[in-house]
Amino acid sequence: MTTVDGLAHGLAVALQPSVLIYSLLGAVLGTLVGVLPGIGAMAAITLLLPITYYISSEAALVMLAAVYYGAQYGGAVASILLRLPGTPQSAVTTLDGYPMAQQGRAGVALFTAMISSFAGSMLGIVILVLLAGWLSGLATSFGAADYAAMMVMGLVAASTIGEGRLAKSLAMVVLGVILGCVGTDVNSGAQRFTFGQVQLIDGINLVALAMGLFGLAEIIGNIRKAERDGPPARVSLRELVPTRDDLRRMVAPITRGTALGGFFGALPGTGSTISSFLSYALERRVARQPERFGKGAIEGVAGPEAANNSASITAFVPTLTLGIPGDPIMALMLGALVIHGIQPGPMMLEANPDMFWGLVVSFGIGNLFLLVLNLPLIGIWVSMLRIPFRWLYPAIIIFVCLGVYSVRGSTFDIVMVAAIGAIGYALTQAAFSPALLLLGFVLGPLIETNLRRALLVSRGDPMIFLERPIACGFVIATFALLIYGFVKRSDQGSQASSVAD
Amino acid sequence: MICCQTRRGAAVAAFLTGCALSSAAMAQDWPAGPVHVFVGFPAGSSPDTIARIVAEPLAEALGQPVVVENRPGAGGVIAVQQMLARGDDSFGININGPLTTAQRLIPDLGYDPVADIAPVGLIATSPLVLAVGADFPADDLAGFIEAAAEPEAISYGSVGEGSGAHLTAELFANAAGVQLFHIPFQSYAEVTTSILGGEIDSGFMAPSAALPQVEAGTMKMLGVTSAEPFAQVPDVPVIAGTAGLPENFRAELWNAFIAPAGTDPAVIERLNAELNTILADEEVRERLLAMGWQAQPGTPDDLAQRIRDDTALWGGVIDTVQAAE
Amino acid sequence: MRRDLYDLGWGAALAVTGFTVAGYAWASYDMGSLRRMGPGFFPVTLGLLLAGLGALIAIPAMSRPGRFRPFAWPETITVVTALLVFGLALDRLGILLTTALTVLIASSVAPRGGLGWRLVLSAAVTALVWVVFLRGLNMSLPVWPGAPR
């Protein structure tokens, strides 16, 4: 079956009324659930899983995929309006999306996120269709050494996104990696820094960390400030829509973000996190005025949103073509397929072409639904900001608690949020970047396990990092970044200090 | 435990009822409200799917909702703790780990798998298969053992230190008199990727994880750890008795229905009977098998025996592993 | 301010944290070898790295003027207390009472908030939680004190 035949066939599958209805249902539910802080795709999919036993396998998977995208977009809404990210990807979106909302440009920020997500997904589908074969080889050609080197490069590249001194940025990354060490060590089974708490055996809850560092820290700082500033001025419909200049600024970041996401998404694991951080770092680096970033630069929303959506499309490549799920959500979807007697794997394209191509087309349709559904909603979301903060924040606190609780039904995690929130506020006060801490937390354990695994594979020979071409490439890139960073920093540093004085 | 105090009224009523009626009659009235089943893994995982396959007909039989509570964490241990903490009408569907090896691997377990748990019944078992890449030089078990003659020449991936995959591989290595090189991973998906990429040589894997790769010709299965050929992969030879390995070689993972110790024996009996009826259903058996699990009806005593046997078996393997370190 | 007290304080705190982590990991976990790294290797290295970075933050801050940024103590304490109460009360009081109580505590630092307003708010949020989480999402939560979930 050629690609064109496949797509035509897929279109026939995806346009069945029942499939369309479930796709729409998934998109609506995903968005609504995703907006609730901390309750992301995982919770929404769990909620819907029982239904999937009773509907056709195509409809089931299409619905779950739509929930997945919907929740991702919903998460961006909460991040932009209230600085409440539930995932590391949406944490990147807060960096410039939230300042935009603070400046009364919430509508534009939401519009940007929506359009970039849509473009990222659609271009991601094109990448998927054209390069599925090549991308599926990517997963197996990456070994432990390559992953370790790639993630170190990711950390180094991203540590430039913090404002101010490099030492402060690096300290946050290292602190994040240390927090990531809490829990069972994969390689030895030893329990580190758990202090006898069984609740800590699986480590610190990611949602609790993200909510505490961003959401709670923001609430604490904002209670008095919001009252002083008053609610944002009422905006007219025209101001919700980006200007021509905004649109022009979005094009290049979306293109670059999509490419990054498309590549990294095909690697099982953290493709989506690493690509959104890298996209942000890249936009900042190529920008003519990098100092605008962190203060509401539209490129800082467009690039990462395109990247993580394109990554979540290509993340289906290893899941469907190798039967290797990259993250818990993909594993869930794989489970849904298996329940229907479909075994994803290298044979899937031959054995179940309906399923494969139907899914590809449905991704597109699901994203179209999302766009149509959400553009009119932007106005409603923005008007939410007009609710005085003193009415809003107690409710947010409750929603954060329940969002964190929903992850694994643990009240211990709520207590953790309290502590992390206080620390997060103090860190923000002292101009440390919580986003870098989060990135370190996510990538740290992966770096450690892959580094140690690589040395096991090579039986203790560190040359493995230079002998494998992919790893070697990343090692060289990392050093290049470091040298470039220091040169540029000292250059800027001398300028900045002369200006500051 | 404030929750217990506030439930005192209900508890007193239940006590009085219990005095008036015989225990067996009470089990007929039981349950009065929803029954909670604590599962140690997230929604969509195989223990969760097994729990849901069982919960649906169970709810019908009991005439009360059966709520599956996912409490993932610490390899199923958190769910056992939460079941014990919640008390009345809480049960668990869990894997072998928290009941057989957890007390050796987690220092502050918070419960005693024998004293604090009342077995209800085994649900299903799954063997592991020894899988290698398609270009591995040997095609059978004897060839594999020969290739592994030199210590640590052959590496294998597991899903973590102390996991079933790790302990099974060590059990196998002991029985075969070879030394394999252990590289821990976090999931069968990672092990598969690594075997396909040629980073590691082999792994003891869930049959359903290896099967698609075998069908695509990218992997080979050399042996299965069950006592008899496994229905999902009928052509794979059993390891027991092959290539000079002992006849009694057997390593299986399982899922079981458990209750807190002190649960009314009549309730356990009722649950066990319902469970066995469910597991006798052909459709249920097929759904389990499609996921790589063999339904295993039995008595609570069978499960207790299984827990004892496996605790001793894996305890011995853990001793050898720890002695080697 | 003559010194940047924020960076000074945080640099010192991070350095102490780093040394503590490294020391604890060194004492508690096996370092292993290059071939089979132990669980202690990473934390010890990271702890020392953090200590070094802490020093790099603190030392330049000694001779650099800093800007005073007010720290919202009452808000911090109140929000943390509210969360702790939520976490500790949920299993005992059930979600509805816990929500009402948490909102009452959290709203105590709200500007222009009288007791009447706070009671209205807490009733409204409790109703919202009931609609969204219990009715809408059908989340498994203890509803009333001691009630089965």
Side-chain angles (χ1 to χ4, degrees):
Chain A
M1 194 185 277
T2 67
T3 306
V4 178
D5 287 347
L7 280 176
H9 192 71
L11 204 61
V13 174
L15 288 180
Q16 292 167 35
S18 69
V19 174
L20 281 179
I21 288 172
Y22 281 108
S23 179
L24 183 63
L25 180 74
V28 175
L29 208 81
T31 310
L32 293 181
V33 172
V35 170
L36 296 175
I39 304 194
M42 193 73 189
I45 290 179
T46 309
L47 203 72
L48 288 177
L49 207 60
I51 305 178
T52 61
Y53 296 126
Y54 304 106
I55 60 181
S56 77
S57 51
E58 286 96 355
L61 216 66
V62 162
M63 178 173 73
L64 295 182
V67 168
Y68 182 41
Y69 303 132
Q72 214 161 32
Y73 176 69
V77 173
S79 307
I80 289 171
L81 296 181
L82 301 168
R83 203 177 186 239
L84 284 173
T87 60
Q89 296 93 290
S90 9
V92 179
T93 308
T94 62
L95 294 178
D96 277 284
Y98 184 69
M100 281 179 82
Q102 295 275 291
Q103 294 153 14
R105 284 167 51 82
V108 178
L110 288 174
F111 193 94
T112 308
M114 184 74 250
I115 290 289
S116 314
S117 302
F118 180 72
S121 304
M122 287 303 181
L123 294 172
I125 292 171
V126 174
I127 295 177
L128 179 77
V129 169
L130 296 180
L131 300 177
W134 182 75
L135 288 174
S136 73
L138 208 57
T140 48
S141 58
F142 264 65
D146 308 321
Y147 275 112
M150 177 186 89
M151 286 168 194
V152 170
M153 186 210 72
L155 273 188
V156 169
S159 57
T160 59
I161 69 176
E163 288 161 68
R165 283 156 214 290
L166 190 59
K168 287 177 89 167
S169 300
L170 289 176
M172 280 304 100
V173 172
V174 173
L175 189 61
V177 180
I178 289 176
L179 290 178
C181 286
V182 175
T184 307
D185 170 34
V186 177
N187 289 66
S188 67
Q191 268 119 46
R192 296 188 298 197
F193 307 110
T194 53
F195 309 105
Q197 285 287 331
V198 179
Q199 303 274 7
L200 283 175
I201 284 181
D202 293 307
I204 295 169
N205 179 344
L206 172 67
V207 175
L209 191 70
M211 288 291 163
L213 283 178
F214 287 85
L216 277 184
E218 187 61 24
I219 290 174
I220 293 171
N222 221 358
I223 294 175
R224 251 183 293 180
K225 190 170 148 281
E227 193 64 23
R228 214 170 41 236
D229 298 350
R234 184 177 289 278
V235 286
S236 71
L237 197 64
R238 271 185 60 204
E239 283 172 89
L240 294 180
V241 181
T243 61
R244 181 163 298 187
D245 182 50
D246 288 336
L247 287 173
R248 197 179 45 77
R249 282 170 187 272
M250 277 156 54
V251 175
I254 287 177
T255 319
R256 285 188 287 259
T258 304
L260 277 175
F263 176 81
F264 287 102
L267 300 170
T270 50
S272 151
T273 302
I274 204 166
S275 60
S276 39
F277 271 93
L278 278 182
S279 162
Y280 189 86
L282 179 69
E283 290 317 318
R284 194 180 153 118
R285 190 147 282 177
V286 299
R288 240 171 267 145
Q289 302 154 288
E291 63 280 1
R292 286 192 305 116
F293 279 74
K295 302 186 185 83
I298 200 164
E299 298 92 326
V301 177
E305 278 293 315
N308 79 46
N309 279 278
S310 143
S312 57
I313 296 274
T314 50
F316 278 95
V317 171
T319 309
L320 294 178
T321 63
L322 297 175
I324 296 169
D327 61 26
I329 295 171
M330 288 293 151
L332 243 172
M333 298 217 196
L334 209 66
L337 279 174
V338 174
I339 287 166
H340 283 278
I342 294 167
Q343 190 56 255
M347 306 304 283
M348 176 156 172
L349 227 154
E350 283 166 47
N352 296 84
D354 295 27
M355 190 74 208
F356 185 85
W357 291 108
L359 257 177
V360 170
V361 175
S362 317
F363 293 160
I365 294 178
N367 273 287
L368 200 64
F369 277 141
L370 262 182
L371 186 74
V372 174
L373 179 82
N374 277 296
L375 283 182
L377 278 180
I378 289 179
I380 298 176
W381 295 131
V382 173
S383 61
M384 225 177 74
L385 284 184
R386 295 194 47 80
I387 302 172
F389 196 67
R390 64 193 186 107
W391 284 90
L392 215 48
Y393 83 86
I396 298 175
I397 289 177
I398 299 292
F399 278 52
V400 166
C401 287
L402 286 170
V404 169
Y405 184 80
S406 76
V407 177
R408 55 183 187 193
S410 153
T411 49
F412 177 86
D413 287 346
I414 300 177
V415 175
M416 285 292 287
V417 179
I420 295 167
I423 296 170
Y425 173 64
L427 285 172
T428 316
Q429 274 281 301
F432 284 97
S433 163
L436 288 178
L437 198 163
L438 199 61
L439 184 70
F441 177 80
V442 175
L443 294 189
L446 293 165
I447 292 176
E448 182 183 7
T449 45
N450 280 299
L451 179 79
R452 287 165 68 179
R453 191 176 295 151
L455 288 170
L456 279 174
V457 168
S458 74
R459 306 292 204 270
D461 181 5
M463 286 307 284
I464 188 172
F465 293 100
L466 299 179
E467 281 162 2
R468 288 185 68 101
I470 301 175
C472 184
F474 282 120
V475 169
I476 292 171
T478 308
F479 277 105
L481 276 169
L482 274 175
I483 293 165
Y484 178 76
F486 274 112
V487 171
K488 205 174 170 194
R489 286 268 168 168
S490 54
D491 203 36
Q492 277 178 346
S494 56
Q495 280 176 14
S497 59
S498 61
V499 171
D501 295 337
Chain B
M1 289 286 291
I2 292 176
C3 58
C4 296
Q5 284 162 14
T6 51
R7 277 186 208 151
R8 189 181 291 152
V12 168
F15 177 67
L16 292 175
T17 327
C19 291
L21 302 165
S22 82
S23 183
M26 210 190 107
Q28 285 307 310
D29 296 338
W30 179 89
V35 171
H36 294 256
V37 174
F38 287 82
V39 175
F41 296 84
S45 60
S46 73
D48 171 75
T49 314
I50 291 174
R52 285 171 202 273
I53 289 175
V54 171
E56 201 184 323
L58 186 62
E60 234 165 82
L62 296 177
Q64 287 285 352
V66 174
V67 186
V68 174
E69 306 263 12
N70 297 100
R71 292 290 184 274
V77 164
I78 299 263
V80 176
Q81 291 178 336
Q82 296 227 352
M83 170 190 87
L84 293 172
R86 193 174 172 282
D88 41 80
D89 288 352
S90 317
F91 301 92
I93 288 182
N94 223 316
I95 61 163
N96 42 320
L99 303 174
T100 57
T101 54
Q103 68 270 36
R104 293 292 308 274
L105 302 170
I106 297 174
D108 307 281
L109 193 58
Y111 65 87
D112 178 335
V114 174
D116 295 330
I117 306 286
V120 173
L122 202 57
I123 298 173
T125 56
S126 166
L128 295 175
V129 291
L130 173 58
V132 294
D135 47 5
F136 190 81
D139 284 319
D140 58 13
L141 219 48
F144 181 85
I145 293 172
E146 207 182 295
E150 195 184 321
E152 305 194 333
I154 298 293
S155 60
Y156 71 93
S158 79
V159 288
E161 185 85 11
S163 63
H166 172 211
L167 297 180
T168 303
E170 291 300 329
L171 184 72
F172 170 82
N174 277 347
V178 295
Q179 240 181 308
L180 301 173
F181 191 71
H182 178 214
I183 300 184
F185 289 79
Q186 273 163 303
S187 63
Y188 287 126
E190 286 185 346
V191 176
T192 312
T193 321
S194 200
I195 292 179
L196 295 184
E199 257 191 331
I200 56 172
D201 301 307
S202 62
F204 277 90
M205 297 172 59
S208 47
L211 198 57
Q213 307 300 336
V214 173
E215 282 169 356
T218 51
M219 268 194 194
K220 295 186 281 198
M221 291 188 273
L222 304 186
V224 62
T225 62
S226 48
E228 278 156 26
F230 188 64
Q232 201 188 22
V233 285
D235 303 334
V236 180
V238 291
I239 291 177
T242 315
L245 281 136
E247 288 290 340
N248 64 354
F249 182 90
R250 188 176 76 159
E252 281 173 332
L253 312 181
W254 38 264
N255 270 276
F257 203 112
I258 54 170
T263 305
D264 187 340
V267 166
I268 292 191
E269 207 174 297
R270 168 96 193 271
L271 278 172
N272 178 269
E274 301 293 1
L275 187 64
N276 286 338
T277 317
I278 294 167
L279 293 178
D281 183 74
E282 201 48 46
E283 200 205 319
V284 169
R285 297 177 75 90
E286 268 168 32
R287 283 175 74 183
L288 288 172
L289 194 61
M291 297 165 49
W293 291 87
Q294 174 79 51
Q296 297 282 4
T299 64
D301 285 340
D302 291 343
L303 176 57
Q305 185 62 41
R306 189 84 172 196
I307 294 176
R308 273 197 298 276
D309 290 351
D310 279 10
T311 306
L313 174 72
W314 298 127
V317 179
I318 293 172
D319 286 338
T320 358
V321 171
Q322 285 177 346
E325 274 170 7
Chain C
M1 267 194 295
R2 297 263 298 284
R3 291 181 182 143
D4 190 342
L5 287 181
Y6 283 94
D7 279 10
L8 192 60
W10 269 106
L14 289 172
V16 170
T17 311
F19 278 124
T20 314
V21 167
Y24 182 84
W26 177 265
S28 322
Y29 312 121
D30 180 26
M31 291 293 282
S33 59
L34 188 61
R35 167 168 151 164
R36 201 177 272 279
M37 272 186 203
F41 188 89
F42 239 64
V44 169
T45 317
L46 290 166
L48 295 177
L49 205 58
L50 186 64
L53 288 166
L56 274 182
I57 295 169
I59 293 166
M62 305 257 260
S63 54
R64 184 180 63 207
R67 202 157 41 87
F68 178 72
R69 279 162 289 202
F71 197 93
W73 280 113
E75 285 85 349
T76 310
I77 292 165
T78 309
V79 169
V80 168
T81 314
L83 282 159
L84 289 179
V85 165
F86 190 100
L88 297 177
L90 183 60
D91 281 340
R92 296 167 171 84
L93 298 182
I95 179 64
L96 298 178
L97 289 180
T98 305
T99 302
L101 189 62
T102 308
V103 173
L104 274 182
I105 297 171
S107 60
S108 65
V109 283
R112 296 189 286 123
L115 189 61
W117 170 78
R118 285 165 61 197
L119 286 171
V120 170
L121 181 68
S122 93
V125 175
T126 309
L128 192 66
V129 164
W130 186 75
V131 170
V132 173
F133 291 94
L134 293 177
R135 297 271 94 178
L137 293 179
N138 202 10
M139 233 168 103
S140 172
L141 286 163
V143 182
W144 295 110
R149 280 178 264 188

